[in-house]
Amino acid sequence: MHPPTVEDVARAAGVSRQTVSNVLNAPQRVRPETRARVETAIEQLGYRPNRVAQSLRAATSRMIGYRIEPMHPHALGSIHDRFLHALAEAGRAADRHLLLFTADDPQDEVANVQALHRAGAIDGVVLYGIQSGDPRPPGLRQLRIPFAAFGRTGADAEHPWVDIDNAAGTAAAVEHLVTGGHRRIAFVGYPQGAAVGDRRADGWRTALDQHGLLDGSHHLDLRGEDSLATGSRLAEVLLDHPTPPTAVVAATDTLAAGVLRTVRQRHARLAVVGFDDTPTAGALDLSSVRQPIEAVGHAMIRALLGPVPGETPGEPTGQLLAPELIVRASSAPH
Amino acid sequence: MHPPTVEDVARAAGVSRQTVSNVLNAPQRVRPETRARVETAIEQLGYRPNRVAQSLRAATSRMIGYRIEPMHPHALGSIHDRFLHALAEAGRAADRHLLLFTADDPQDEVANVQALHRAGAIDGVVLYGIQSGDPRPPGLRQLRIPFAAFGRTGADAEHPWVDIDNAAGTAAAVEHLVTGGHRRIAFVGYPQGAAVGDRRADGWRTALDQHGLLDGSHHLDLRGEDSLATGSRLAEVLLDHPTPPTAVVAATDTLAAGVLRTVRQRHARLAVVGFDDTPTAGALDLSSVRQPIEAVGHAMIRALLGPVPGETPGEPTGQLLAPELIVRASSAPH
DNA sequence: TTGTAGGCGTTATCAT
DNA sequence: ATGATAACGCCTACAA
């Protein structure tokens, strides 16, 4: 009826509880003969150590908290799905499971994390959607709750984080387009001030500059909210310019999709590269910068389980991962 | 340092551990005076009952397992995000948390669930992406592990399930279009044999029939894989027909988006309604049938925590929820 | 190499 | 109304 316990296994194998425990936790200390007997009993009974008892005993839940946010209704597709799966997969490799919880806002998130941590339900937490000046890292640090952040706040020296090298992504897009013969390459991004958006703009600008293509291209840097309509509208602006670009680097696939729509409507020629490699990109045959999310997942679990931040000050706390450009038809040389 | 325990609270309040426990679990049995003292101590120490100890004691983890699948790369956007959040939110209301795990396939999923259940890590599991003939429900039933399924397998009498009334969704779309004056309304869906797709086709056909509009509309029922390209191609076929439809009901937003693309390219007039109300629909101003995912989440938690299946045979085990049509510009009357 | 004892934090049972 | 005892299943000493 109830799952078997060490006691049951011990009885079945004719040994004591502790020998069973030893077989599992320190096999070398048990005579092969006895071990075999115990292992057979374990097999036959289908015994699994009770994780709850283990947790109580070890004062460790082997659970990692993760706040699942309501979906942004305007986002055409995000990498959140991929991230969560990658995190779960990375957790499996480290014998950790994810505990999902909800919260009303970042403050509430910290409060819920504290409650879960005090209750012994989680050992730490992974933070997603980090913004500049995000209150969660300092909050959790003060509570001395282990965490790792996906993204940077601007004050990241004191806690573990993992981030994508956004600038490298747009730079790679520019390289690719320059190689394809393009000389006037525009950028369509979201408003200045958003950290991620600014870094993506930086990569574009820097790469252009390295090829001496930056002069007089101020009209080629357009910003707006992250939506299909905005992408569409900004593409109109670009195409209507006397010296229009021949290629566009977009800060997101959503913006890129908007650009593509205008391009198709006007039968214009304009190479486009997006960012994030969402399913939308695949569907539209849109070249896109792909974030190495699986690697991020592993890095975050490692960062979280690694040395406690603050204990060895001065150590590197962060990790920057390079994205990869996926080339599709939208940026094929004419 | 370590979180406070009942012991600490008891000491602080000058009572025994059990009185503290009583204050929390049977307040009426404690003298108001004492209770107040204990509650103050709890407050001051920030005491939270240790969930792990509670679980060990109660032989219940208050955790619900959920397998997170890798994202389908071709899906333009799915309701999975919404579903997972809804489930977590519903769980919160019932003092349950979700434990995420991964698996290679349905078989592996059942095996992992069994392991987690034996280990006391989860009390039950929620099944997503149910297919006809899905092996998971019978597998879990045999293992006597509580579960609830989102969707139906075709043999659902013996376990709790929650499903969307897919036929009602497409029927509502047809009603809407008929009201708008349309007489030739096509259906674009995925191949026959897929249960969900067939039900959506059924709703379309039934509603058309009720209005006497079904005659000679065989050429208006087209199927293909769920992709943008397919939607696009099938729209071409429809528009090229001597008596083309004036409206289309699509089985998914992805297919609908493909239809829309063709419509725009050819400057054709064709009302379109999609299914799932994904972010894509919002971005394209596409009317779409919205699944009541939040309600599904609550229903599933209730179903899971409800009476154990099989104990009271003959009871209704399932629940069918009606979707809602979201009207946008794509189906506006001409 | 194997067994005995104790305790992780909680709560139900039973006494006072 | 409150307190002592025991048990959930496991594991880390320590003892034999």
Side-chain angles (χ1 to χ4, degrees), chain A residues 16-19 30-31 34 56-57:
Chain A
S16 79
R17 292 182 304 184
Q18 281 52 38
T19 302
V30 179
R31 181 154 31 112
T34 318
L56 181 60
R57 172 69 201 177

Side-chain angles (χ1 to χ4, degrees), chain A residues 87-110:
Chain A
L87 205 56
E89 191 68 41
R92 160 149 95 164
D95 190 28
R96 295 295 191 285
H97 284 281
L98 256 37
L99 182 152
L100 248 46
F101 66 96
T102 57
D104 302 330
D105 53 57
Q107 308 272 341
D108 192 38
E109 180 174 353
V110 172

Side-chain angles (χ1 to χ4, degrees), chain B residues 12 48 53 55 59 63 71 154 184 192 195 199 207 301:
Chain B
R48 307 263 325 183
S55 291
M63 292 274 169
M71 191 176 51
R184 288 194 307 284
Q192 296 192 1
R199 292 204 197 95
I301 297 289

Side-chain angles (χ1 to χ4, degrees), chain A residues 115-121, chain B residues 3-6 9 20-21 24-25 42 46-55 62:
Chain A
L116 286 166
H117 187 252
R118 283 198 115 104
Chain B
T5 72
V6 270
V9 175
V20 176
S21 178
L24 290 157
N25 302 304
I42 289 176
Y47 168 77
R48 307 263 325 183
N50 184 312
R51 274 186 67 130
V52 176
Q54 287 182 322
S55 291
R62 284 182 294 165

Side-chain angles (χ1 to χ4, degrees), chain B residues 215-234:
Chain B
D215 282 351
S217 64
H218 288 306
H219 68 286
L220 296 179
D221 180 357
L222 299 183
R223 313 292 180 95
E225 65 164 7
D226 182 23
S227 74
L228 205 58
T230 298
S232 219
R233 184 172 52 76
L234 296 181

Side-chain angles (χ1 to χ4, degrees), chain B residues 193-227:
Chain B
V196 171
D198 285 351
R199 292 204 197 95
R200 291 181 185 177
D202 285 348
W204 163 79
R205 191 178 307 107
T206 306
L208 270 192
D209 198 23
Q210 280 176 355
H211 288 279
L213 297 173
L214 193 52
D215 282 351
S217 64
H218 288 306
H219 68 286
L220 296 179
D221 180 357
L222 299 183
R223 313 292 180 95
E225 65 164 7
D226 182 23
S227 74

